[in-house]
mmCIF file of all heavy atoms in Angstrom:
data_model
loop_
_atom_site.group_PDB
_atom_site.id
_atom_site.type_symbol
_atom_site.label_atom_id
_atom_site.label_comp_id
_atom_site.label_asym_id
_atom_site.label_seq_id
_atom_site.Cartn_x
_atom_site.Cartn_y
_atom_site.Cartn_z
ATOM 1 N N HIS A 54 -12.228 -0.329 0.067
ATOM 2 C CA HIS A 54 -10.793 0.013 -0.048
ATOM 3 C C HIS A 54 -10.586 0.677 -1.411
ATOM 4 O O HIS A 54 -11.246 0.427 -2.350
ATOM 5 C CB HIS A 54 -9.864 -1.145 0.178
ATOM 6 C CG HIS A 54 -8.462 -0.746 0.204
ATOM 7 N ND1 HIS A 54 -7.648 -0.945 -0.829
ATOM 8 C CD2 HIS A 54 -7.709 -0.103 1.237
ATOM 9 C CE1 HIS A 54 -6.413 -0.501 -0.587
ATOM 10 N NE2 HIS A 54 -6.443 0.063 0.642
ATOM 11 N N ASN A 55 -9.520 1.550 -1.513
ATOM 12 C CA ASN A 55 -9.137 2.158 -2.725
ATOM 13 C C ASN A 55 -8.839 1.184 -3.845
ATOM 14 O O ASN A 55 -8.775 1.609 -5.066
ATOM 15 C CB ASN A 55 -7.929 3.110 -2.554
ATOM 16 C CG ASN A 55 -8.363 4.281 -1.686
ATOM 17 O OD1 ASN A 55 -9.345 4.718 -1.765
ATOM 18 N ND2 ASN A 55 -7.315 4.693 -0.814
ATOM 19 N N TYR A 56 -8.544 -0.064 -3.566
ATOM 20 C CA TYR A 56 -8.308 -1.079 -4.621
ATOM 21 C C TYR A 56 -9.514 -1.771 -5.181
ATOM 22 O O TYR A 56 -9.402 -2.650 -6.001
ATOM 23 C CB TYR A 56 -7.370 -2.144 -4.114
ATOM 24 C CG TYR A 56 -5.901 -1.702 -3.786
ATOM 25 C CD1 TYR A 56 -5.126 -2.496 -2.964
ATOM 26 C CD2 TYR A 56 -5.355 -0.549 -4.329
ATOM 27 C CE1 TYR A 56 -3.776 -2.135 -2.682
ATOM 28 C CE2 TYR A 56 -4.049 -0.175 -4.058
ATOM 29 C CZ TYR A 56 -3.305 -0.953 -3.243
ATOM 30 O OH TYR A 56 -1.990 -0.565 -2.961
ATOM 31 N N GLY A 70 -11.498 4.564 1.204
ATOM 32 C CA GLY A 70 -10.290 5.093 1.809
ATOM 33 C C GLY A 70 -9.204 4.121 1.767
ATOM 34 O O GLY A 70 -9.307 2.934 1.333
ATOM 35 N N ASP A 71 -8.058 4.496 2.415
ATOM 36 C CA ASP A 71 -7.010 3.519 2.682
ATOM 37 C C ASP A 71 -7.173 2.816 3.980
ATOM 38 O O ASP A 71 -8.262 2.976 4.569
ATOM 39 C CB ASP A 71 -5.592 4.298 2.678
ATOM 40 C CG ASP A 71 -5.491 5.309 3.851
ATOM 41 O OD1 ASP A 71 -6.297 5.281 4.810
ATOM 42 O OD2 ASP A 71 -4.484 6.163 3.740
ATOM 43 N N SER A 72 -6.373 1.964 4.371
ATOM 44 C CA SER A 72 -6.651 1.084 5.528
ATOM 45 C C SER A 72 -6.859 1.883 6.837
ATOM 46 O O SER A 72 -7.762 1.544 7.617
ATOM 47 C CB SER A 72 -5.418 0.163 5.825
ATOM 48 O OG SER A 72 -5.064 -0.534 4.713
ATOM 49 N N LEU A 73 -6.156 2.977 6.949
ATOM 50 C CA LEU A 73 -6.332 3.760 8.185
ATOM 51 C C LEU A 73 -7.701 4.402 8.198
ATOM 52 O O LEU A 73 -8.444 4.311 9.207
ATOM 53 C CB LEU A 73 -5.191 4.796 8.274
ATOM 54 C CG LEU A 73 -5.319 5.723 9.526
ATOM 55 C CD1 LEU A 73 -5.350 4.876 10.827
ATOM 56 C CD2 LEU A 73 -4.136 6.792 9.503
ATOM 57 N N GLN A 74 -8.006 5.008 7.082
ATOM 58 C CA GLN A 74 -9.335 5.730 6.965
ATOM 59 C C GLN A 74 -10.538 4.766 7.215
ATOM 60 O O GLN A 74 -11.454 5.126 7.950
ATOM 61 C CB GLN A 74 -9.421 6.441 5.674
ATOM 62 C CG GLN A 74 -8.403 7.570 5.497
ATOM 63 C CD GLN A 74 -8.317 8.128 4.073
ATOM 64 O OE1 GLN A 74 -8.525 7.338 3.104
ATOM 65 N NE2 GLN A 74 -7.949 9.310 3.961
ATOM 66 N N LEU A 75 -10.422 3.565 6.644
ATOM 67 C CA LEU A 75 -11.447 2.616 6.855
ATOM 68 C C LEU A 75 -11.599 2.171 8.320
ATOM 69 O O LEU A 75 -12.693 1.992 8.827
ATOM 70 C CB LEU A 75 -11.311 1.434 5.882
ATOM 71 C CG LEU A 75 -11.376 1.663 4.422
ATOM 72 C CD1 LEU A 75 -11.193 0.383 3.594
ATOM 73 C CD2 LEU A 75 -12.675 2.391 4.046
ATOM 74 N N VAL A 92 -10.198 -6.728 2.078
ATOM 75 C CA VAL A 92 -9.693 -8.116 2.337
ATOM 76 C C VAL A 92 -9.955 -8.377 3.860
ATOM 77 O O VAL A 92 -10.434 -7.568 4.697
ATOM 78 C CB VAL A 92 -8.202 -8.263 2.029
ATOM 79 C CG1 VAL A 92 -8.094 -8.221 0.518
ATOM 80 C CG2 VAL A 92 -7.360 -7.249 2.692
ATOM 81 N N PHE A 94 -8.414 -8.985 6.648
ATOM 82 C CA PHE A 94 -7.832 -8.271 7.909
ATOM 83 C C PHE A 94 -8.577 -6.981 8.076
ATOM 84 O O PHE A 94 -8.757 -6.530 9.247
ATOM 85 C CB PHE A 94 -6.278 -8.102 7.811
ATOM 86 C CG PHE A 94 -5.855 -6.912 6.852
ATOM 87 C CD1 PHE A 94 -5.911 -5.654 7.242
ATOM 88 C CD2 PHE A 94 -5.333 -7.341 5.627
ATOM 89 C CE1 PHE A 94 -5.470 -4.649 6.328
ATOM 90 C CE2 PHE A 94 -4.893 -6.310 4.754
ATOM 91 C CZ PHE A 94 -5.024 -5.015 5.104
ATOM 92 N N MET A 95 -9.060 -6.364 7.000
ATOM 93 C CA MET A 95 -9.807 -5.081 7.141
ATOM 94 C C MET A 95 -11.144 -5.313 7.844
ATOM 95 O O MET A 95 -11.587 -4.543 8.676
ATOM 96 C CB MET A 95 -10.083 -4.516 5.752
ATOM 97 C CG MET A 95 -8.735 -4.089 5.158
ATOM 98 S SD MET A 95 -9.050 -3.401 3.393
ATOM 99 C CE MET A 95 -7.280 -2.870 3.024
ATOM 100 N N CYS A 117 -4.369 -11.928 2.293
ATOM 101 C CA CYS A 117 -3.269 -10.886 2.092
ATOM 102 C C CYS A 117 -1.978 -11.642 2.355
ATOM 103 O O CYS A 117 -1.812 -12.289 3.425
ATOM 104 C CB CYS A 117 -3.497 -9.715 3.047
ATOM 105 S SG CYS A 117 -2.107 -8.603 3.051
ATOM 106 N N LEU A 119 0.839 -10.468 3.209
ATOM 107 C CA LEU A 119 1.442 -9.976 4.447
ATOM 108 C C LEU A 119 0.817 -10.525 5.721
ATOM 109 O O LEU A 119 1.519 -10.984 6.579
ATOM 110 C CB LEU A 119 1.319 -8.420 4.437
ATOM 111 C CG LEU A 119 2.309 -7.716 3.629
ATOM 112 C CD1 LEU A 119 1.857 -6.207 3.517
ATOM 113 C CD2 LEU A 119 3.647 -7.779 4.106
ATOM 114 N N TYR A 143 1.982 -3.674 11.406
ATOM 115 C CA TYR A 143 1.175 -3.206 10.207
ATOM 116 C C TYR A 143 -0.225 -3.701 10.298
ATOM 117 O O TYR A 143 -0.500 -4.833 10.650
ATOM 118 C CB TYR A 143 1.883 -3.649 8.944
ATOM 119 C CG TYR A 143 1.454 -2.998 7.634
ATOM 120 C CD1 TYR A 143 1.055 -1.675 7.580
ATOM 121 C CD2 TYR A 143 1.563 -3.681 6.366
ATOM 122 C CE1 TYR A 143 0.728 -1.056 6.414
ATOM 123 C CE2 TYR A 143 1.236 -3.056 5.196
ATOM 124 C CZ TYR A 143 0.787 -1.790 5.291
ATOM 125 O OH TYR A 143 0.543 -1.120 4.089
ATOM 126 N N VAL A 144 -1.203 -2.880 9.970
ATOM 127 C CA VAL A 144 -2.660 -3.316 10.045
ATOM 128 C C VAL A 144 -2.955 -4.508 9.179
ATOM 129 O O VAL A 144 -3.964 -5.189 9.437
ATOM 130 C CB VAL A 144 -3.474 -2.032 9.793
ATOM 131 C CG1 VAL A 144 -3.445 -1.680 8.332
ATOM 132 C CG2 VAL A 144 -4.812 -2.119 10.340
ATOM 133 N N ASN A 145 -2.109 -4.766 8.195
ATOM 134 C CA ASN A 145 -2.306 -5.930 7.268
ATOM 135 C C ASN A 145 -1.888 -7.233 8.025
ATOM 136 O O ASN A 145 -0.980 -7.961 7.621
ATOM 137 C CB ASN A 145 -1.485 -5.897 6.045
ATOM 138 C CG ASN A 145 -1.830 -4.623 5.178
ATOM 139 O OD1 ASN A 145 -2.086 -3.547 5.645
ATOM 140 N ND2 ASN A 145 -1.860 -4.883 3.819
ATOM 141 N N THR A 159 -0.331 1.904 9.754
ATOM 142 C CA THR A 159 -0.668 1.692 8.345
ATOM 143 C C THR A 159 0.401 2.393 7.559
ATOM 144 O O THR A 159 1.311 3.061 8.081
ATOM 145 C CB THR A 159 -2.077 2.299 7.986
ATOM 146 O OG1 THR A 159 -1.975 3.678 7.970
ATOM 147 C CG2 THR A 159 -3.111 1.861 9.034
ATOM 148 N N SER A 160 0.236 2.378 6.202
ATOM 149 C CA SER A 160 1.246 3.004 5.358
ATOM 150 C C SER A 160 1.167 4.450 5.497
ATOM 151 O O SER A 160 2.171 5.146 5.176
ATOM 152 C CB SER A 160 1.112 2.560 3.911
ATOM 153 O OG SER A 160 -0.280 2.721 3.503
ATOM 154 N N SER A 161 0.036 5.064 5.868
ATOM 155 C CA SER A 161 -0.101 6.497 6.026
ATOM 156 C C SER A 161 0.417 7.035 7.347
ATOM 157 O O SER A 161 0.507 8.281 7.466
ATOM 158 C CB SER A 161 -1.462 6.979 5.588
ATOM 159 O OG SER A 161 -2.327 6.573 6.593
ATOM 160 N N CYS A 206 4.368 -7.853 0.405
ATOM 161 C CA CYS A 206 3.060 -7.781 -0.369
ATOM 162 C C CYS A 206 3.404 -8.427 -1.737
ATOM 163 O O CYS A 206 4.287 -7.934 -2.391
ATOM 164 C CB CYS A 206 2.617 -6.407 -0.507
ATOM 165 S SG CYS A 206 1.508 -6.168 -1.829
ATOM 166 N N VAL A 208 1.871 -8.162 -4.357
ATOM 167 C CA VAL A 208 1.564 -7.191 -5.462
ATOM 168 C C VAL A 208 2.755 -6.208 -5.654
ATOM 169 O O VAL A 208 3.231 -5.976 -6.806
ATOM 170 C CB VAL A 208 0.276 -6.396 -5.241
ATOM 171 C CG1 VAL A 208 0.006 -5.388 -6.240
ATOM 172 C CG2 VAL A 208 -0.904 -7.330 -5.037
ATOM 173 N N HIS A 209 3.196 -5.599 -4.602
ATOM 174 C CA HIS A 209 4.204 -4.525 -4.644
ATOM 175 C C HIS A 209 5.601 -5.011 -4.709
ATOM 176 O O HIS A 209 6.518 -4.353 -5.245
ATOM 177 C CB HIS A 209 3.999 -3.575 -3.452
ATOM 178 C CG HIS A 209 2.768 -2.842 -3.532
ATOM 179 N ND1 HIS A 209 1.584 -3.233 -2.960
ATOM 180 C CD2 HIS A 209 2.392 -1.722 -4.229
ATOM 181 C CE1 HIS A 209 0.580 -2.353 -3.174
ATOM 182 N NE2 HIS A 209 1.068 -1.440 -3.985
ATOM 183 N N HIS A 232 3.705 2.938 -3.724
ATOM 184 C CA HIS A 232 3.264 2.601 -2.443
ATOM 185 C C HIS A 232 4.447 2.102 -1.656
ATOM 186 O O HIS A 232 5.373 1.462 -2.122
ATOM 187 C CB HIS A 232 2.143 1.463 -2.561
ATOM 188 C CG HIS A 232 1.380 1.296 -1.273
ATOM 189 N ND1 HIS A 232 1.979 0.525 -0.187
ATOM 190 C CD2 HIS A 232 0.246 1.735 -0.831
ATOM 191 C CE1 HIS A 232 1.035 0.562 0.734
ATOM 192 N NE2 HIS A 232 -0.050 1.296 0.422
ATOM 193 N N PRO A 233 4.449 2.419 -0.340
ATOM 194 C CA PRO A 233 5.727 2.048 0.517
ATOM 195 C C PRO A 233 5.860 0.573 0.751
ATOM 196 O O PRO A 233 6.759 0.181 1.443
ATOM 197 C CB PRO A 233 5.558 2.870 1.758
ATOM 198 C CG PRO A 233 4.099 3.304 1.811
ATOM 199 C CD PRO A 233 3.586 3.337 0.427
ATOM 200 N N GLU A 234 4.948 -0.195 0.256
ATOM 201 C CA GLU A 234 5.111 -1.737 0.282
ATOM 202 C C GLU A 234 6.094 -2.126 -0.767
ATOM 203 O O GLU A 234 6.462 -3.356 -0.937
ATOM 204 C CB GLU A 234 3.853 -2.406 0.184
ATOM 205 C CG GLU A 234 2.893 -2.266 1.390
ATOM 206 C CD GLU A 234 1.489 -2.865 1.165
ATOM 207 O OE1 GLU A 234 1.234 -3.443 0.166
ATOM 208 O OE2 GLU A 234 0.648 -2.595 2.028
ATOM 209 N N GLY A 247 3.597 7.015 -0.887
ATOM 210 C CA GLY A 247 2.535 7.224 0.192
ATOM 211 C C GLY A 247 1.495 6.144 0.067
ATOM 212 O O GLY A 247 1.482 5.376 -0.859
ATOM 213 N N SER A 248 0.613 6.139 1.016
ATOM 214 C CA SER A 248 -0.539 5.240 1.112
ATOM 215 C C SER A 248 -1.382 5.454 -0.127
ATOM 216 O O SER A 248 -1.222 6.334 -0.845
ATOM 217 C CB SER A 248 -1.320 5.420 2.324
ATOM 218 O OG SER A 248 -2.102 6.618 2.214
ATOM 219 N N THR A 249 -2.372 4.537 -0.303
ATOM 220 C CA THR A 249 -3.185 4.688 -1.456
ATOM 221 C C THR A 249 -3.922 6.040 -1.439
ATOM 222 O O THR A 249 -3.984 6.748 -2.504
ATOM 223 C CB THR A 249 -4.223 3.618 -1.497
ATOM 224 O OG1 THR A 249 -4.934 3.498 -0.252
ATOM 225 C CG2 THR A 249 -3.523 2.228 -1.815
ATOM 226 N N SER A 250 -4.451 6.487 -0.303
ATOM 227 C CA SER A 250 -5.019 7.718 -0.184
ATOM 228 C C SER A 250 -4.047 8.911 -0.334
ATOM 229 O O SER A 250 -4.376 10.032 -0.883
ATOM 230 C CB SER A 250 -5.762 7.992 1.072
ATOM 231 O OG SER A 250 -6.955 7.151 1.062
ATOM 232 N N GLY A 251 -2.751 8.704 0.073
ATOM 233 C CA GLY A 251 -1.728 9.680 -0.027
ATOM 234 C C GLY A 251 -1.528 10.060 -1.481
ATOM 235 O O GLY A 251 -1.316 11.119 -1.886
ATOM 236 N N MET A 252 -1.600 8.907 -2.297
ATOM 237 C CA MET A 252 -1.338 9.094 -3.793
ATOM 238 C C MET A 252 -2.561 9.951 -4.328
ATOM 239 O O MET A 252 -2.347 10.719 -5.229
ATOM 240 C CB MET A 252 -1.319 7.746 -4.491
ATOM 241 C CG MET A 252 -0.032 7.016 -4.159
ATOM 242 S SD MET A 252 0.046 5.452 -5.180
ATOM 243 C CE MET A 252 0.546 4.254 -4.056
ATOM 244 N N THR A 268 1.349 0.505 -8.084
ATOM 245 C CA THR A 268 0.443 -0.055 -7.056
ATOM 246 C C THR A 268 -0.495 -0.981 -7.868
ATOM 247 O O THR A 268 -0.385 -1.343 -8.927
ATOM 248 C CB THR A 268 -0.149 1.054 -6.257
ATOM 249 O OG1 THR A 268 -0.726 0.408 -5.109
ATOM 250 C CG2 THR A 268 -1.098 1.995 -6.935
ATOM 251 N N GLU A 269 -1.591 -1.271 -7.087
ATOM 252 C CA GLU A 269 -2.643 -2.178 -7.559
ATOM 253 C C GLU A 269 -3.437 -1.440 -8.765
ATOM 254 O O GLU A 269 -3.641 -0.296 -8.731
ATOM 255 C CB GLU A 269 -3.584 -2.563 -6.482
ATOM 256 C CG GLU A 269 -4.129 -3.924 -6.546
ATOM 257 C CD GLU A 269 -5.398 -4.028 -7.341
ATOM 258 O OE1 GLU A 269 -6.054 -3.013 -7.656
ATOM 259 O OE2 GLU A 269 -5.698 -5.124 -7.812
ATOM 260 N N CYS A 292 -4.103 -7.301 -7.416
ATOM 261 C CA CYS A 292 -4.176 -8.076 -6.096
ATOM 262 C C CYS A 292 -5.270 -9.145 -6.219
ATOM 263 O O CYS A 292 -6.474 -8.756 -6.252
ATOM 264 C CB CYS A 292 -4.482 -7.134 -4.902
ATOM 265 S SG CYS A 292 -4.572 -8.118 -3.423
ATOM 266 N N MET A 295 -7.983 -8.836 -3.348
ATOM 267 C CA MET A 295 -8.910 -7.655 -3.469
ATOM 268 C C MET A 295 -9.935 -7.969 -4.577
ATOM 269 O O MET A 295 -11.108 -7.583 -4.527
ATOM 270 C CB MET A 295 -8.182 -6.363 -3.808
ATOM 271 C CG MET A 295 -7.314 -5.830 -2.678
ATOM 272 S SD MET A 295 -8.337 -5.006 -1.472
ATOM 273 C CE MET A 295 -7.107 -4.424 -0.325
HETATM 274 P P1 LIG B 401 -3.219 1.413 2.197
HETATM 275 O O1 LIG B 401 -3.366 1.495 3.649
HETATM 276 O O2 LIG B 401 -2.221 2.340 1.607
HETATM 277 O O3 LIG B 401 -4.508 1.575 1.574
HETATM 278 O O4 LIG B 401 -2.678 -0.076 1.816
HETATM 279 C C1 LIG B 401 -3.325 -1.219 1.988
HETATM 280 C C2 LIG B 401 -2.962 -2.291 1.116
HETATM 281 O O5 LIG B 401 -3.361 -3.418 1.303
HETATM 282 C C3 LIG B 401 -1.863 -1.925 0.221
HETATM 283 O O6 LIG B 401 -1.479 -3.002 -0.430
#
Side-chain angles (χ1 to χ4, degrees):
H54 185 260
N55 291 328
Y56 291 163
D71 64 14
S72 304
L73 178 59
Q74 292 168 333
L75 295 182
V92 294
F94 76 79
M95 295 176 175
C117 169
L119 282 167
Y143 195 30
V144 74
N145 297 40
T159 72
S160 54
S161 61
C206 162
V208 175
H209 292 96
H232 195 277
E234 290 170 9
S248 75
T249 54
S250 289
M252 291 188 227
T268 188
E269 212 274 341
C292 174
M295 292 280 184

